[in-house]
Amino acid sequence: MAKLPDNETLRRLFREGLSDLQIAQAYGCTPAAVNARYILLMKEPRKPWSNTASAILEAAWPREEFDRGKFTHFNRSRDLTTFIRWRLGDPTLTEKQLLRARNFTKHQKRDGVVLTLDWSKDNPWVFLPREPSDGELVIRWPEGRELPKGPHLEAISLPPTPDGPGTQRD
């Protein structure tokens, strides 16, 4: 049986949206082995949208390095995670969560701001004026960190309209 890649490579593969099956096929192991490793990495069972949101945030501010878990109870953190899940098309979001995600978008567009972490503050989730380097991102992506691609990049980007994708209910 082949060996799974190192943790950083595995995190990158998850951020890029590869499924357990795709990763397993690439490394000659079972999808169960990939999922077990993912659970160890993220310390929680895998849920498609919330875990993808966590993986995206992990790419920006890794838990081990930044102890980001201490800051997830703040409303801005919850709003950001909900926004990412909305952009990923999470059908399990409640009407209240959808409203929060849309308001997060409207605030960013109206005030020209991005969200970032500033550990010198009591509430480290702070809005800063948008800079040209931010593009359409909703967070200030940390320098030196690899930016996600494809759907994961779209998940942290402003939608073209305030209602954007992911708002239709079946």
Side-chain angles (χ1 to χ4, degrees):
M1 177 148 318
K3 184 178 175 187
L4 283 169
D6 61 89
N7 288 347
E8 190 53 39
T9 301
L10 194 56
R11 283 185 183 108
R12 181 181 49 77
L13 295 172
F14 285 126
R15 283 193 311 269
E16 291 175 1
L18 272 67
S19 69
D20 292 350
L21 178 61
Q22 291 169 316
I23 295 170
Q25 289 173 340
Y27 288 92
C29 62
T30 67
V34 174
N35 190 260
R37 179 79 169 280
Y38 182 88
I39 290 169
L40 288 175
L41 284 176
M42 301 307 286
K43 297 183 177 115
E44 60 186 35
R46 191 162 187 197
K47 296 172 244 164
W49 294 278
S50 62
N51 282 344
T52 301
S54 293
I56 292 168
L57 295 174
E58 182 73 14
W61 303 289
R63 280 183 190 268
E64 291 177 12
E65 186 177 341
F66 295 100
D67 207 9
R68 184 175 36 83
K70 287 183 181 177
F71 313 121
T72 58
H73 67 282
F74 289 102
N75 284 338
R76 289 179 180 169
S77 174
R78 289 181 186 156
D79 289 349
L80 174 60
T81 302
T82 300
F83 171 84
I84 293 170
R85 289 174 54 204
W86 172 59
R87 292 285 285 151
L88 290 168
D90 183 349
T92 67
L93 293 174
T94 66
E95 289 300 322
K96 184 177 180 180
Q97 289 172 314
L98 287 170
L99 179 61
R100 289 183 77 131
R102 289 183 194 121
N103 285 340
F104 183 82
T105 299
K106 287 177 186 175
H107 169 70
Q108 291 220 341
K109 285 186 172 188
R110 180 188 65 231
D111 297 339
V113 294
V114 294
L115 190 63
T116 193
L117 275 172
D118 180 348
W119 289 267
S120 68
K121 310 269 188 220
D122 288 336
N123 179 349
W125 295 99
V126 296
F127 284 107
L128 299 174
R130 183 173 294 282
E131 296 178 355
S133 60
D134 296 321
E136 292 296 307
L137 296 178
V138 296
I139 60 175
R140 171 124 334 125
W141 195 261
E143 279 188 43
R145 301 261 179 226
E146 184 177 347
L147 195 61
K149 296 173 180 69
H152 293 172
L153 180 59
E154 290 175 23
I156 56 172
S157 298
L158 290 168
T161 63
D163 289 337
T167 60
Q168 296 293 325
R169 289 292 193 152
D170 293 82

